[in-house]
């Protein structure tokens, strides 16, 4: 970036990250469809309707993982980016909530889980790309870069721990992931 260039992998990785950010916005708009329609707001979710917004949300979330897989298999981004595939079970949860629920509390949970998914994808992608780029550096520069990466990894993991350390329970206990349930309520 300092020399006004960015590696092609950085541009490609912006696509799945952008898809997940957009999914967060769509989840928020989906939650507000009824109140926005009543207030006369013309959000994308209001214009598209519930069913099309559900399809859009699922497409955005799953599209991020498809993009990562395609780019990695093609060799355009580091193959270690495929570790994001371990997050697919988490990705399924907000999709199932949005497809089966319309009540506010459940949709807020879907929004939170989608944001957490975005965080975890970033936590996996950043070191995957950074370590690959470090391996291309000269040996003397590599040691300095590896120290910086270690420092950034500690910050990223600390942030992740503060925002929700695992899939089982968030910091405030607002959701729990178990087979077919969220907070003990069945997910269709």
């Amino acid at each position: 970036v300092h020399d006004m260039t960015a590696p092609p992998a950085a541009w490609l990785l912006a696509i799945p990250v952008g898809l997940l950010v957009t999914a967060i916005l769509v989840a928020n708009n989906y939650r507000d469809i009824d109140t926005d329609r009543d207030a006369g707001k013309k959000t994308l979710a209001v214009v598209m309707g519930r069913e099309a917004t559900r399809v859009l949300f699922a497409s955005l979330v799953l599209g991020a993982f498809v993009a990562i897989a395609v780019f990695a298999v093609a060799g355009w981004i580091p193959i270690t980016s495929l570790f994001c595939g371990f997050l697919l079970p988490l990705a399924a949860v907000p999709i199932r909530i949005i497809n089966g629920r319309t009540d506010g509390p459940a949709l807020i949970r879907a929004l939170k889980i989608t944001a957490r998914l975005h965080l975890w994808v970033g936590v996996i992608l950043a070191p995957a790309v950074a370590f690959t780029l470090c391996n291309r550096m000269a040996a003397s520069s590599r040691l300095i870069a590896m120290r910086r990466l270690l420092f950034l990894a500690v910050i990223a993991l600390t942030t992740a721990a503060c925002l929700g350390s695992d899939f089982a329970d968030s910091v405030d206990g607002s959701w729990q992931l178990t087979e077919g349930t969220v907070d003990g309520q069945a997910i269709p």
Side-chain angles (χ1 to χ4, degrees), residues 91-114:
V93 174
I95 292 170
R96 286 175 34 195
I97 292 171
I98 285 188
N99 282 328
R101 306 282 291 274
T102 57
D103 58 297
L107 296 177
I108 289 171
R109 284 192 302 274
L111 182 61
K112 287 181 180 181
I113 296 167
T114 306

Side-chain angles (χ1 to χ4, degrees), residues 6-29:
W11 294 105
L12 290 173
L13 288 171
I15 295 170
V17 170
L19 290 171
L20 290 172
V21 168
T22 305
I24 293 168
L25 297 172
V26 169
N28 188 54
N29 283 336

Side-chain angles (χ1 to χ4, degrees), residues 45-72:
V46 169
V47 172
M48 290 177 60
R50 281 200 188 279
E51 190 57 37
T53 303
R54 288 177 182 144
V55 171
L56 175 61
F57 178 79
S59 299
L60 291 167
V61 172
L62 296 176
F65 290 94
V66 169
I68 291 167
V70 168
F71 297 159

Side-chain angles (χ1 to χ4, degrees), residues 122-148:
V123 165
I124 291 172
L125 287 179
V129 172
F131 282 114
T132 301
L133 294 176
C134 280
N135 286 335
R136 296 179 185 162
M137 295 176 159
S140 60
S141 299
R142 193 176 304 151
L143 182 59
I144 294 168
M146 293 300 264
R147 286 181 185 161
R148 289 179 181 160

